[in-house]
Amino acid sequence: MLALAANISMLFTELPFADRFAAAAAAGFSAVEFAHTEELSVDAIGNALARNHLAQVLATLPSTPGDKGLAAIAGAEAQFLQRLEEGLAAASEVGCPLVHITAGVVPDRDYESAKAVFHRNISNAVEVAERRGITLVIEAINQHDVPGYFVRSLADAVGWVDRIAHPRLRVLVDFYHAHQEGVPVSSTLQAVKTHGAHVQVAGAPGRSEPDTGQLDYAHVLRQLALEDYRGWIGCEYRPAASTAAGLPWREKLMPAAAHPRELARKEQLQCFKETPQ
């Protein structure tokens, strides 16, 4: 069965951030994911999760507005390590099993030298994450939306996981970004099967609800279910109208018996704790 997590950085933005946890729970979600925020303390986030019987299943390292990460940025190694320690500590505090490592924007002229920086930073980061029992994920962001983002393609993300070769490093597979870079759905599904620890979905090219645009999510979700995908599916899209108005896509597209409430949260989290992804 498949399980959906609400990305409350993009969903329920009609509400203050602190109120989005309750809104997600009321809408039938049992898990959330979100970008790092300074709006709430770690304790407040933990309380909001507990109060609403939610799990946080994906976190992102701290950043500043407009900042796309530091993992590949020369001269920012100390700051990257500081963010890593802070982000892992916060994730550990709330029991979040995955942390997304953002790489940063690198001009073409610096791309080759940035590879060595990224390799060193990620090689060190997985050892730190191992000590906390947390798995790191890297994501390819398409070059139309974020020109110069270091992990330029899904193939790059897969290649880095193979190169680092550590069980605590996996791929965050975003079907929207893969579609925008022209990756066939079959290849994206294969990346989930071989290297994925988390999936994100959005309609493409508009990045609104998954039942809009060119991607056939009925097929995607059916294939994930057939492959017995055990990770979470993050709903990382911008609602076309209100969040609630767009949510019927779940019943429309999700395979039978795969509504988000029907998969036990503890069982999902346990698969991360028992076996590094």
Side-chain angles (χ1 to χ4, degrees):
M1 292 189 293
L2 302 179
L4 300 177
N7 186 304
I8 57 173
S9 294
M10 297 179 73
L11 302 186
F12 305 105
T13 56
E14 309 92 334
L15 302 170
F17 186 78
D19 296 336
R20 297 177 199 172
F21 296 86
F29 291 99
S30 58
V32 293
E33 60 177 40
F34 48 91
H36 177 81
T37 177
E38 300 291 347
E39 291 186 47
L40 297 179
S41 67
V42 176
D43 285 345
I45 289 171
N47 289 336
L49 292 169
R51 186 166 58 250
N52 292 288
H53 308 288
L54 293 168
Q56 182 182 355
V57 295
L58 177 69
T60 303
L61 289 192
S63 62
T64 56
D67 173 348
K68 296 299 181 182
L70 297 175
I73 307 302
E77 290 86 350
Q79 190 178 0
F80 170 75
L81 181 59
Q82 179 181 350
R83 289 183 180 185
L84 177 70
E85 295 282 7
E86 182 182 341
L88 290 176
S92 181
E93 183 71 20
V94 301
C96 180
L98 297 177
V99 172
H100 176 201
I101 302 296
T102 47
V105 172
V106 175
D108 288 344
R109 66 179 180 275
D110 299 328
Y111 183 69
E112 289 303 316
S113 59
K115 290 180 179 179
V117 176
F118 188 75
H119 193 282
R120 286 195 304 271
N121 279 335
I122 299 301
S123 296
N124 292 333
V126 291
E127 299 300 334
V128 178
E130 175 70 45
R131 294 195 287 272
R132 288 192 176 272
I134 290 173
T135 296
L136 305 180
V137 290
I138 56 174
E139 176 186 25
I141 297 180
N142 79 81
Q143 297 294 297
H144 304 288
D145 287 12
V146 185
Y149 189 75
F150 176 75
V151 186
R152 281 160 159 66
S153 67
L154 182 57
D156 282 349
V158 167
W160 278 110
V161 168
D162 286 342
R163 200 169 298 127
I164 302 295
H166 194 287
R168 289 292 178 184
L169 182 66
R170 303 291 285 172
V171 177
L172 189 175
V173 180
D174 187 308
F175 278 82
Y176 163 79
H177 285 300
H179 178 273
Q180 292 300 91
E181 67 163 285
V183 179
V185 166
S186 58
S187 299
T188 309
L189 286 165
Q190 182 64 18
V192 175
K193 182 177 180 179
T194 58
H195 293 77
H198 192 78
V199 162
Q200 289 179 331
V201 296
R207 208 174 187 181
S208 58
E209 284 80 359
D211 61 346
T212 64
Q214 300 165 358
L215 272 168
D216 181 359
Y217 275 112
H219 169 72
V220 167
L221 296 169
R222 187 163 54 248
Q223 291 303 309
L224 290 174
L226 288 172
E227 292 289 348
D228 198 25
Y229 170 68
R230 297 298 183 93
W232 291 84
I233 299 172
C235 302
E236 192 193 40
Y237 61 85
R238 300 185 187 94
S242 71
T243 301
L247 288 176
W249 72 265
R250 296 178 299 178
E251 284 69 30
K252 180 180 175 182
L253 297 182
M254 290 288 280
H259 191 272
R261 280 258 185 234
E262 295 185 22
L263 188 57
R265 172 165 55 91
K266 290 183 180 178
E267 183 177 309
Q268 277 286 296
L269 294 177
Q270 194 63 30
C271 78
F272 286 111
K273 293 175 181 177
E274 291 177 354
T275 305
Q277 297 291 313

mmCIF file of all heavy atoms in Angstrom, residues 204-238:
data_model
loop_
_atom_site.group_PDB
_atom_site.id
_atom_site.type_symbol
_atom_site.label_atom_id
_atom_site.label_comp_id
_atom_site.label_asym_id
_atom_site.label_seq_id
_atom_site.Cartn_x
_atom_site.Cartn_y
_atom_site.Cartn_z
ATOM 1 N N ALA A 204 2.757 18.182 -13.914
ATOM 2 C CA ALA A 204 3.788 18.808 -14.753
ATOM 3 C C ALA A 204 3.180 19.121 -16.120
ATOM 4 O O ALA A 204 2.422 18.312 -16.653
ATOM 5 C CB ALA A 204 4.987 17.881 -14.890
ATOM 6 N N PRO A 205 3.461 20.327 -16.641
ATOM 7 C CA PRO A 205 4.504 21.253 -16.195
ATOM 8 C C PRO A 205 4.079 22.305 -15.171
ATOM 9 O O PRO A 205 4.916 23.077 -14.708
ATOM 10 C CB PRO A 205 4.902 21.948 -17.500
ATOM 11 C CG PRO A 205 3.624 21.990 -18.292
ATOM 12 C CD PRO A 205 2.908 20.707 -17.967
ATOM 13 N N GLY A 206 2.829 22.386 -14.784
ATOM 14 C CA GLY A 206 2.378 23.505 -13.956
ATOM 15 C C GLY A 206 2.685 23.427 -12.478
ATOM 16 O O GLY A 206 2.563 24.398 -11.749
ATOM 17 N N ARG A 207 3.071 22.258 -11.982
ATOM 18 C CA ARG A 207 3.379 21.978 -10.579
ATOM 19 C C ARG A 207 2.187 22.210 -9.650
ATOM 20 O O ARG A 207 2.350 22.603 -8.489
ATOM 21 C CB ARG A 207 4.590 22.764 -10.088
ATOM 22 C CG ARG A 207 5.303 22.021 -8.954
ATOM 23 C CD ARG A 207 6.590 22.653 -8.514
ATOM 24 N NE ARG A 207 7.264 21.777 -7.567
ATOM 25 C CZ ARG A 207 8.424 22.045 -6.976
ATOM 26 N NH1 ARG A 207 9.038 23.184 -7.217
ATOM 27 N NH2 ARG A 207 8.959 21.189 -6.144
ATOM 28 N N SER A 208 0.988 21.929 -10.135
ATOM 29 C CA SER A 208 -0.181 21.957 -9.258
ATOM 30 C C SER A 208 -0.595 20.521 -8.953
ATOM 31 O O SER A 208 0.260 19.625 -8.930
ATOM 32 C CB SER A 208 -1.312 22.781 -9.894
ATOM 33 O OG SER A 208 -1.672 22.252 -11.152
ATOM 34 N N GLU A 209 -1.868 20.273 -8.696
ATOM 35 C CA GLU A 209 -2.303 18.939 -8.276
ATOM 36 C C GLU A 209 -1.860 17.854 -9.264
ATOM 37 O O GLU A 209 -1.799 18.102 -10.482
ATOM 38 C CB GLU A 209 -3.822 18.909 -8.130
ATOM 39 C CG GLU A 209 -4.361 19.578 -6.884
ATOM 40 C CD GLU A 209 -4.454 21.090 -6.958
ATOM 41 O OE1 GLU A 209 -4.072 21.666 -8.010
ATOM 42 O OE2 GLU A 209 -4.897 21.711 -5.981
ATOM 43 N N PRO A 210 -1.580 16.649 -8.770
ATOM 44 C CA PRO A 210 -1.091 15.571 -9.647
ATOM 45 C C PRO A 210 -2.069 15.115 -10.725
ATOM 46 O O PRO A 210 -1.650 14.414 -11.652
ATOM 47 C CB PRO A 210 -0.793 14.433 -8.657
ATOM 48 C CG PRO A 210 -0.461 15.137 -7.381
ATOM 49 C CD PRO A 210 -1.405 16.301 -7.334
ATOM 50 N N ASP A 211 -3.337 15.479 -10.613
ATOM 51 C CA ASP A 211 -4.268 15.091 -11.681
ATOM 52 C C ASP A 211 -4.351 16.142 -12.779
ATOM 53 O O ASP A 211 -5.253 16.109 -13.616
ATOM 54 C CB ASP A 211 -5.658 14.786 -11.113
ATOM 55 C CG ASP A 211 -6.304 15.979 -10.423
ATOM 56 O OD1 ASP A 211 -5.593 16.969 -10.132
ATOM 57 O OD2 ASP A 211 -7.518 15.924 -10.154
ATOM 58 N N THR A 212 -3.390 17.065 -12.803
ATOM 59 C CA THR A 212 -3.310 18.058 -13.873
ATOM 60 C C THR A 212 -2.015 17.842 -14.651
ATOM 61 O O THR A 212 -1.057 17.268 -14.146
ATOM 62 C CB THR A 212 -3.316 19.488 -13.305
ATOM 63 O OG1 THR A 212 -2.133 19.693 -12.503
ATOM 64 C CG2 THR A 212 -4.546 19.730 -12.438
ATOM 65 N N GLY A 213 -1.989 18.302 -15.881
ATOM 66 C CA GLY A 213 -0.749 18.245 -16.645
ATOM 67 C C GLY A 213 -0.558 16.964 -17.418
ATOM 68 O O GLY A 213 -1.489 16.214 -17.680
ATOM 69 N N GLN A 214 0.689 16.685 -17.761
ATOM 70 C CA GLN A 214 1.035 15.637 -18.708
ATOM 71 C C GLN A 214 1.419 14.301 -18.070
ATOM 72 O O GLN A 214 1.434 13.278 -18.754
ATOM 73 C CB GLN A 214 2.209 16.125 -19.573
ATOM 74 C CG GLN A 214 1.887 17.385 -20.361
ATOM 75 C CD GLN A 214 3.119 18.069 -20.912
ATOM 76 O OE1 GLN A 214 4.242 17.626 -20.677
ATOM 77 N NE2 GLN A 214 2.927 19.160 -21.638
ATOM 78 N N LEU A 215 1.739 14.298 -16.797
ATOM 79 C CA LEU A 215 2.156 13.053 -16.146
ATOM 80 C C LEU A 215 0.941 12.193 -15.795
ATOM 81 O O LEU A 215 -0.027 12.680 -15.206
ATOM 82 C CB LEU A 215 2.935 13.354 -14.864
ATOM 83 C CG LEU A 215 4.439 13.547 -15.013
ATOM 84 C CD1 LEU A 215 5.036 14.123 -13.736
ATOM 85 C CD2 LEU A 215 5.120 12.241 -15.361
ATOM 86 N N ASP A 216 1.017 10.921 -16.115
ATOM 87 C CA ASP A 216 -0.059 9.975 -15.815
ATOM 88 C C ASP A 216 0.200 9.367 -14.436
ATOM 89 O O ASP A 216 0.815 8.309 -14.311
ATOM 90 C CB ASP A 216 -0.112 8.892 -16.892
ATOM 91 C CG ASP A 216 -1.229 7.884 -16.664
ATOM 92 O OD1 ASP A 216 -1.964 8.005 -15.658
ATOM 93 O OD2 ASP A 216 -1.358 6.963 -17.495
ATOM 94 N N TYR A 217 -0.277 10.060 -13.401
ATOM 95 C CA TYR A 217 0.003 9.590 -12.044
ATOM 96 C C TYR A 217 -0.796 8.348 -11.662
ATOM 97 O O TYR A 217 -0.391 7.628 -10.747
ATOM 98 C CB TYR A 217 -0.203 10.712 -11.028
ATOM 99 C CG TYR A 217 1.017 11.587 -10.879
ATOM 100 C CD1 TYR A 217 1.011 12.902 -11.301
ATOM 101 C CD2 TYR A 217 2.180 11.086 -10.302
ATOM 102 C CE1 TYR A 217 2.134 13.709 -11.170
ATOM 103 C CE2 TYR A 217 3.312 11.878 -10.177
ATOM 104 C CZ TYR A 217 3.284 13.182 -10.604
ATOM 105 O OH TYR A 217 4.404 13.967 -10.477
ATOM 106 N N ALA A 218 -1.910 8.103 -12.325
ATOM 107 C CA ALA A 218 -2.604 6.840 -12.069
ATOM 108 C C ALA A 218 -1.667 5.678 -12.388
ATOM 109 O O ALA A 218 -1.568 4.697 -11.630
ATOM 110 C CB ALA A 218 -3.881 6.755 -12.901
ATOM 111 N N HIS A 219 -0.961 5.789 -13.501
ATOM 112 C CA HIS A 219 0.020 4.769 -13.886
ATOM 113 C C HIS A 219 1.200 4.750 -12.915
ATOM 114 O O HIS A 219 1.624 3.678 -12.465
ATOM 115 C CB HIS A 219 0.509 5.038 -15.305
ATOM 116 C CG HIS A 219 1.699 4.226 -15.699
ATOM 117 N ND1 HIS A 219 1.638 2.870 -15.960
ATOM 118 C CD2 HIS A 219 3.017 4.578 -15.859
ATOM 119 C CE1 HIS A 219 2.832 2.420 -16.273
ATOM 120 N NE2 HIS A 219 3.695 3.430 -16.218
ATOM 121 N N VAL A 220 1.731 5.928 -12.589
ATOM 122 C CA VAL A 220 2.891 6.016 -11.688
ATOM 123 C C VAL A 220 2.577 5.367 -10.345
ATOM 124 O O VAL A 220 3.342 4.527 -9.840
ATOM 125 C CB VAL A 220 3.307 7.486 -11.484
ATOM 126 C CG1 VAL A 220 4.294 7.614 -10.323
ATOM 127 C CG2 VAL A 220 3.925 8.047 -12.761
ATOM 128 N N LEU A 221 1.448 5.737 -9.764
ATOM 129 C CA LEU A 221 1.099 5.220 -8.439
ATOM 130 C C LEU A 221 0.796 3.724 -8.485
ATOM 131 O O LEU A 221 1.150 2.969 -7.565
ATOM 132 C CB LEU A 221 -0.082 6.002 -7.876
ATOM 133 C CG LEU A 221 0.211 7.489 -7.618
ATOM 134 C CD1 LEU A 221 -1.069 8.243 -7.311
ATOM 135 C CD2 LEU A 221 1.222 7.658 -6.492
ATOM 136 N N ARG A 222 0.161 3.295 -9.561
ATOM 137 C CA ARG A 222 -0.112 1.867 -9.713
ATOM 138 C C ARG A 222 1.189 1.077 -9.788
ATOM 139 O O ARG A 222 1.337 0.015 -9.162
ATOM 140 C CB ARG A 222 -0.966 1.638 -10.960
ATOM 141 C CG ARG A 222 -1.466 0.215 -11.134
ATOM 142 C CD ARG A 222 -2.617 0.163 -12.138
ATOM 143 N NE ARG A 222 -2.254 0.773 -13.416
ATOM 144 C CZ ARG A 222 -2.782 1.908 -13.876
ATOM 145 N NH1 ARG A 222 -3.691 2.561 -13.167
ATOM 146 N NH2 ARG A 222 -2.408 2.385 -15.053
ATOM 147 N N GLN A 223 2.168 1.601 -10.518
ATOM 148 C CA GLN A 223 3.451 0.910 -10.631
ATOM 149 C C GLN A 223 4.203 0.901 -9.303
ATOM 150 O O GLN A 223 4.830 -0.102 -8.939
ATOM 151 C CB GLN A 223 4.306 1.564 -11.719
ATOM 152 C CG GLN A 223 3.784 1.357 -13.132
ATOM 153 C CD GLN A 223 3.637 -0.123 -13.476
ATOM 154 O OE1 GLN A 223 4.562 -0.912 -13.288
ATOM 155 N NE2 GLN A 223 2.462 -0.506 -13.959
ATOM 156 N N LEU A 224 4.148 2.013 -8.570
ATOM 157 C CA LEU A 224 4.793 2.044 -7.251
ATOM 158 C C LEU A 224 4.169 1.002 -6.329
ATOM 159 O O LEU A 224 4.876 0.315 -5.582
ATOM 160 C CB LEU A 224 4.678 3.440 -6.634
ATOM 161 C CG LEU A 224 5.513 4.543 -7.291
ATOM 162 C CD1 LEU A 224 5.179 5.888 -6.664
ATOM 163 C CD2 LEU A 224 7.008 4.253 -7.161
ATOM 164 N N ALA A 225 2.848 0.874 -6.386
ATOM 165 C CA ALA A 225 2.173 -0.124 -5.552
ATOM 166 C C ALA A 225 2.569 -1.539 -5.980
ATOM 167 O O ALA A 225 2.844 -2.406 -5.138
ATOM 168 C CB ALA A 225 0.661 0.057 -5.640
ATOM 169 N N LEU A 226 2.622 -1.773 -7.279
ATOM 170 C CA LEU A 226 2.990 -3.101 -7.773
ATOM 171 C C LEU A 226 4.420 -3.465 -7.398
ATOM 172 O O LEU A 226 4.735 -4.645 -7.165
ATOM 173 C CB LEU A 226 2.824 -3.154 -9.298
ATOM 174 C CG LEU A 226 1.382 -3.178 -9.816
ATOM 175 C CD1 LEU A 226 1.363 -3.023 -11.333
ATOM 176 C CD2 LEU A 226 0.685 -4.477 -9.398
ATOM 177 N N GLU A 227 5.291 -2.452 -7.343
ATOM 178 C CA GLU A 227 6.686 -2.688 -6.968
ATOM 179 C C GLU A 227 6.869 -2.746 -5.453
ATOM 180 O O GLU A 227 7.988 -2.885 -4.967
ATOM 181 C CB GLU A 227 7.584 -1.596 -7.555
ATOM 182 C CG GLU A 227 7.711 -1.621 -9.066
ATOM 183 C CD GLU A 227 8.535 -2.797 -9.563
ATOM 184 O OE1 GLU A 227 9.194 -3.466 -8.738
ATOM 185 O OE2 GLU A 227 8.513 -3.054 -10.789
ATOM 186 N N ASP A 228 5.761 -2.603 -4.714
ATOM 187 C CA ASP A 228 5.785 -2.670 -3.251
ATOM 188 C C ASP A 228 6.678 -1.569 -2.663
ATOM 189 O O ASP A 228 7.444 -1.798 -1.727
ATOM 190 C CB ASP A 228 6.257 -4.051 -2.781
ATOM 191 C CG ASP A 228 5.881 -4.322 -1.323
ATOM 192 O OD1 ASP A 228 4.906 -3.723 -0.843
ATOM 193 O OD2 ASP A 228 6.591 -5.116 -0.675
ATOM 194 N N TYR A 229 6.566 -0.379 -3.234
ATOM 195 C CA TYR A 229 7.320 0.763 -2.720
ATOM 196 C C TYR A 229 6.908 1.039 -1.273
ATOM 197 O O TYR A 229 5.725 1.169 -0.971
ATOM 198 C CB TYR A 229 7.060 1.991 -3.597
ATOM 199 C CG TYR A 229 7.606 3.277 -3.016
ATOM 200 C CD1 TYR A 229 8.975 3.480 -2.911
ATOM 201 C CD2 TYR A 229 6.748 4.285 -2.578
ATOM 202 C CE1 TYR A 229 9.486 4.660 -2.372
ATOM 203 C CE2 TYR A 229 7.243 5.462 -2.049
ATOM 204 C CZ TYR A 229 8.609 5.647 -1.946
ATOM 205 O OH TYR A 229 9.107 6.800 -1.400
ATOM 206 N N ARG A 230 7.880 1.120 -0.358
ATOM 207 C CA ARG A 230 7.597 1.259 1.069
ATOM 208 C C ARG A 230 7.904 2.644 1.638
ATOM 209 O O ARG A 230 7.719 2.872 2.823
ATOM 210 C CB ARG A 230 8.391 0.208 1.854
ATOM 211 C CG ARG A 230 8.019 -1.240 1.538
ATOM 212 C CD ARG A 230 6.568 -1.524 1.896
ATOM 213 N NE ARG A 230 6.215 -2.917 1.673
ATOM 214 C CZ ARG A 230 6.287 -3.875 2.608
ATOM 215 N NH1 ARG A 230 6.719 -3.573 3.822
ATOM 216 N NH2 ARG A 230 5.924 -5.106 2.323
ATOM 217 N N GLY A 231 8.421 3.539 0.819
ATOM 218 C CA GLY A 231 8.674 4.884 1.308
ATOM 219 C C GLY A 231 7.408 5.730 1.259
ATOM 220 O O GLY A 231 6.329 5.269 0.891
ATOM 221 N N TRP A 232 7.553 6.988 1.628
ATOM 222 C CA TRP A 232 6.432 7.923 1.574
ATOM 223 C C TRP A 232 6.405 8.649 0.236
ATOM 224 O O TRP A 232 7.429 8.766 -0.452
ATOM 225 C CB TRP A 232 6.543 8.937 2.710
ATOM 226 C CG TRP A 232 6.307 8.329 4.058
ATOM 227 C CD1 TRP A 232 7.215 7.684 4.849
ATOM 228 C CD2 TRP A 232 5.063 8.281 4.762
ATOM 229 N NE1 TRP A 232 6.628 7.246 6.002
ATOM 230 C CE2 TRP A 232 5.300 7.600 5.984
ATOM 231 C CE3 TRP A 232 3.778 8.759 4.487
ATOM 232 C CZ2 TRP A 232 4.305 7.380 6.931
ATOM 233 C CZ3 TRP A 232 2.782 8.537 5.429
ATOM 234 C CH2 TRP A 232 3.045 7.860 6.632
ATOM 235 N N ILE A 233 5.240 9.159 -0.110
ATOM 236 C CA ILE A 233 5.050 9.971 -1.306
ATOM 237 C C ILE A 233 4.694 11.376 -0.845
ATOM 238 O O ILE A 233 3.617 11.608 -0.284
ATOM 239 C CB ILE A 233 3.939 9.397 -2.205
ATOM 240 C CG1 ILE A 233 4.314 7.979 -2.659
ATOM 241 C CG2 ILE A 233 3.693 10.307 -3.408
ATOM 242 C CD1 ILE A 233 3.199 7.257 -3.382
ATOM 243 N N GLY A 234 5.610 12.296 -1.059
ATOM 244 C CA GLY A 234 5.397 13.669 -0.631
ATOM 245 C C GLY A 234 4.567 14.443 -1.649
ATOM 246 O O GLY A 234 4.892 14.457 -2.840
ATOM 247 N N CYS A 235 3.507 15.082 -1.181
ATOM 248 C CA CYS A 235 2.649 15.898 -2.044
ATOM 249 C C CYS A 235 3.226 17.310 -2.068
ATOM 250 O O CYS A 235 2.837 18.175 -1.277
ATOM 251 C CB CYS A 235 1.224 15.894 -1.516
ATOM 252 S SG CYS A 235 0.528 14.233 -1.386
ATOM 253 N N GLU A 236 4.174 17.540 -2.975
ATOM 254 C CA GLU A 236 4.892 18.804 -3.044
ATOM 255 C C GLU A 236 4.435 19.558 -4.288
ATOM 256 O O GLU A 236 5.116 19.590 -5.307
ATOM 257 C CB GLU A 236 6.405 18.574 -3.078
ATOM 258 C CG GLU A 236 7.184 19.869 -2.847
ATOM 259 C CD GLU A 236 8.663 19.741 -3.178
ATOM 260 O OE1 GLU A 236 8.996 19.086 -4.187
ATOM 261 O OE2 GLU A 236 9.470 20.314 -2.441
ATOM 262 N N TYR A 237 3.263 20.155 -4.183
ATOM 263 C CA TYR A 237 2.717 20.892 -5.314
ATOM 264 C C TYR A 237 2.055 22.173 -4.829
ATOM 265 O O TYR A 237 1.793 22.351 -3.632
ATOM 266 C CB TYR A 237 1.721 20.026 -6.094
ATOM 267 C CG TYR A 237 0.509 19.571 -5.300
ATOM 268 C CD1 TYR A 237 -0.621 20.388 -5.171
ATOM 269 C CD2 TYR A 237 0.476 18.321 -4.689
ATOM 270 C CE1 TYR A 237 -1.727 19.976 -4.448
ATOM 271 C CE2 TYR A 237 -0.632 17.903 -3.978
ATOM 272 C CZ TYR A 237 -1.731 18.728 -3.845
ATOM 273 O OH TYR A 237 -2.827 18.326 -3.129
ATOM 274 N N ARG A 238 1.807 23.081 -5.780
ATOM 275 C CA ARG A 238 1.122 24.340 -5.472
ATOM 276 C C ARG A 238 -0.343 24.193 -5.869
ATOM 277 O O ARG A 238 -0.650 24.081 -7.064
ATOM 278 C CB ARG A 238 1.758 25.506 -6.232
ATOM 279 C CG ARG A 238 3.216 25.728 -5.909
ATOM 280 C CD ARG A 238 3.743 26.983 -6.612
ATOM 281 N NE ARG A 238 5.185 27.113 -6.429
ATOM 282 C CZ ARG A 238 6.093 26.672 -7.291
ATOM 283 N NH1 ARG A 238 5.696 26.074 -8.402
ATOM 284 N NH2 ARG A 238 7.378 26.829 -7.048
#
